[in-house]
Amino acid sequence: MTKEKILVIGASGQIGVELTLALRKMYGDANVVASDLREENELLRGTGPYVSLDVMNKEMLHVQTIRQNITQIYLLAAILSATGEKNPALAWHLNMQGLLNVLDIAKEEKLSKVYWPSSIAVFGPSSPTTNCPQQTIIEPITVYGISKFAGEFWCNYYFHRFGVDVRSIRYPGLISYKSAPGGGTTDYAVEIFHEALEHKHYTCFLEKDTYLPMMYMPDAIRATIELMEAPKEKISVRTSYNVSGMSFSPEEIASEIRKSIPGFTISYAPDYRQKIANSWPQSIDDSVARKDWGWRPEYDLAEMTRDMLVNIEPSSLADTHK
Ligand SMILES: NC(=O)c1ccc[n+]([C@@H]2O[C@H](COP(=O)([O-])OP(=O)(O)OC[C@H]3O[C@@H](n4cnc5c(N)ncnc54)[C@H](O)[C@@H]3O)[C@@H](O)[C@H]2O)c1
C-alpha cells in the first residue's frame, strides 16, 4: 500500500476535502497530493502536500503526475447539476475534457487506478422512479446528466480498450457538515441544517414531497474507498455503480430536524431546480454493488440528522451566508 501515490483533483470541494483526509489516513499524509483550481481548503492546510492545478491544462497535469510519481488519480473536479444548467457549454467542456485528460494520462503513464464519480443525474424521466436498477433506460435531461452518462462510457471504453483500471460510483445527493456543497439540486438537504440552527426557519427550493436518493458523507467516503480497494476481479461494472443510502422528502427531513429543534418551520418556494429533481428517481437499487464488493450503507435519516446537528460548528454558520 505504501508504494501508491495519489493525486486528488478537486480536493477543496465538498467530497474532496473529506476524501483527501480519509486517503491520507490510509496511505500516509505525504502520499496523497491534494490539488484544486481554487485555494487549498482550510481543513486540508498542514495535513499534506497541495498543488494548484487546472485539470483542463493537460500538459501541466501530465508534468505533475510524472514529477510527483503519481500512481492513482481521484478526479472530483466538475460542474454540478444546478450550476451546469446556468452554463451548459462550460459544464460539458469541463466534465468531459477533464475526464479525457485524466484517462489519457492514466493510459500513457500506466497508472494503477483512477476514480471518477458519476451521479444519479444520469437517470431521466423515462427511468424507473422507485428502486431504479443498475441497468435501465437512461435518458438524462440535464447537461450534467448527459456529461456523466457520456463519461461513464468513456471510463468503460478506456478499461476495455486500454486496460485503464477506472472505477466509478453514481453518487446520490451528498450531505455533509465539513465543506459546503458545490451547486447541486440536493444542496437543500445541507442548507436546511444551517438555517434550522441559525434562524429556525428554512425556505426550500424544492416542493415538500420531492423524494430524492441521498447519502451521508461518511457512507459516501467509505463506499468510494471500498470500491477502490476491492480486488479487480470483483468489479463487474465498468461504467458506474448504483449505490443507495436513504431517500426522503423536504417535509420528512424537516420533521426529523423538528425532533431536536422544536420551533423549526419550513416553507416552499420551488425554482428551476424542481424540474431537475422531478427528472430523477426517488430511490436506487444498489444490489449489484452489494453483490460485487459488499456495499452496505450505515446511516439512515434519523442517524444522519442527529450527527449533522451535533457536528455543525457555530463558525461554519457564518460561511453559508457569505
Ligand atoms: N456532492 C454531491 O452531492 C454529488 C452527487 C453526485 C455526484 N457528485 C460528483 O462528485 C464530484 C465532486 O463533487 P463535489 O460535490 O465535491 O463538487 P464541488 O463543486 O464541491 O467540488 C469540485 C471542486 O473542483 C474544483 N474545480 C473546478 N474546476 C476545476 C479545474 N478546472 N481544475 C481543478 N479543479 C477544479 C472546484 O474548485 C471544487 O473545489 C463531481 O464529479 C460531482 O459531479 C457529487
Side-chain angles (χ1 to χ4, degrees):
M1 202 180 264
T2 45
K3 279 199 206 112
E4 298 288 343
K5 183 114 186 252
I6 297 173
L7 176 66
V8 182
I9 304 171
S12 290
Q14 189 192 9
I15 302 170
V17 170
E18 298 203 39
L19 192 54
T20 301
L21 293 173
L23 290 169
R24 282 183 174 159
K25 246 188 209 153
M26 286 178 66
Y27 288 91
D29 292 348
N31 295 320
V32 180
V33 180
S35 74
D36 203 291
L37 196 58
R38 57 174 151 156
E39 60 178 18
E40 185 178 22
N41 186 291
E42 58 177 21
L43 296 173
L44 293 179
R45 256 174 232 148
T47 69
Y50 176 84
V51 293
S52 177
L53 195 96
D54 182 353
V55 72
M56 302 302 277
N57 187 339
K58 189 177 175 185
E59 237 178 283
M60 197 48 93
L61 177 61
H62 204 158
V63 166
Q64 284 291 355
T65 305
I66 295 168
R67 189 182 288 162
Q68 309 261 4
N69 295 314
I70 297 300
T71 62
Q72 297 186 24
I73 293 180
Y74 283 64
L75 171 58
L76 305 172
I79 289 185
L80 274 64
S81 57
T83 312
E85 290 311 290
K86 290 185 180 156
N87 195 340
L90 181 67
W92 175 255
H93 190 49
L94 173 64
N95 295 0
M96 279 298 89
Q97 199 54 51
L99 174 61
L100 288 171
N101 288 350
V102 168
L103 289 174
D104 263 345
I105 290 167
K107 179 186 108 186
E108 280 173 44
E109 298 307 323
K110 298 188 171 38
L111 299 191
S112 67
K113 277 180 239 177
V114 172
Y115 178 73
W116 172 82
S118 181
S119 161
I120 57 147
V122 293
F123 299 117
S126 52
S127 306
T129 43
T130 43
N131 293 328
C132 189
Q134 177 70 45
Q135 282 179 308
T136 185
I137 297 171
I138 296 193
E139 295 177 331
I141 59 159
T142 61
V143 67
Y144 176 68
I146 299 169
S147 73
K148 288 296 186 188
F149 195 39
E152 289 188 6
F153 279 90
W154 276 118
C155 291
N156 193 54
Y157 181 80
Y158 269 74
F159 172 72
H160 289 289
R161 178 85 205 273
F162 304 119
V164 174
D165 187 356
V166 48
R167 304 178 183 196
S168 178
I169 284 174
R170 289 171 180 155
Y171 290 131
L174 299 181
I175 299 158
S176 67
Y177 58 86
K178 286 193 182 157
S179 41
T185 303
T186 52
D187 289 5
Y188 91 85
V190 177
E191 290 170 10
I192 194 170
F193 286 100
H194 293 269
E195 295 294 311
L197 284 165
E198 202 177 9
H199 297 121
K200 285 198 166 194
H201 180 79
Y202 178 58
T203 305
C204 184
F205 58 75
L206 296 182
E207 294 277 15
K208 63 179 179 179
D209 53 356
T210 311
Y211 278 85
L212 287 171
M214 300 277 189
M215 184 175 280
Y216 196 33
M217 190 61 88
D219 270 347
I221 299 297
R222 192 169 49 79
T224 307
I225 287 172
E226 285 177 7
L227 170 67
M228 291 301 278
E229 293 299 313
K232 206 171 172 180
E233 61 277 9
K234 296 264 186 201
I235 311 298
S236 71
V237 175
R238 287 295 177 171
T239 49
S240 190
Y241 278 100
N242 278 11
V243 293
S244 179
M246 59 188 101
S247 281
F248 57 80
S249 64
E251 194 176 31
E252 281 181 358
I253 191 173
S255 63
E256 195 59 45
I257 291 172
R258 209 169 290 121
K259 289 178 188 167
S260 303
I261 305 176
F264 174 60
T265 54
I266 183 166
S267 55
Y268 301 93
D271 64 15
Y272 69 101
R273 289 169 280 196
Q274 184 66 46
K275 191 175 165 204
I276 303 176
N278 288 348
S279 78
W280 292 348
Q282 300 181 348
S283 60
I284 298 289
D285 171 19
D286 60 2
S287 50
V288 181
R290 286 172 182 260
K291 181 172 119 311
D292 281 5
W293 43 278
W295 165 243
R296 296 278 181 285
E298 279 176 4
Y299 285 87
D300 61 13
L301 175 59
E303 274 179 64
M304 180 271 289
T305 302
R306 248 194 315 275
D307 204 59
M308 283 290 283
L309 290 173
V310 166
N311 282 294
I312 292 176
E313 304 211 0
S315 61
S316 71
L317 293 176
D319 292 347
T320 58
H321 300 292
K322 272 181 191 160

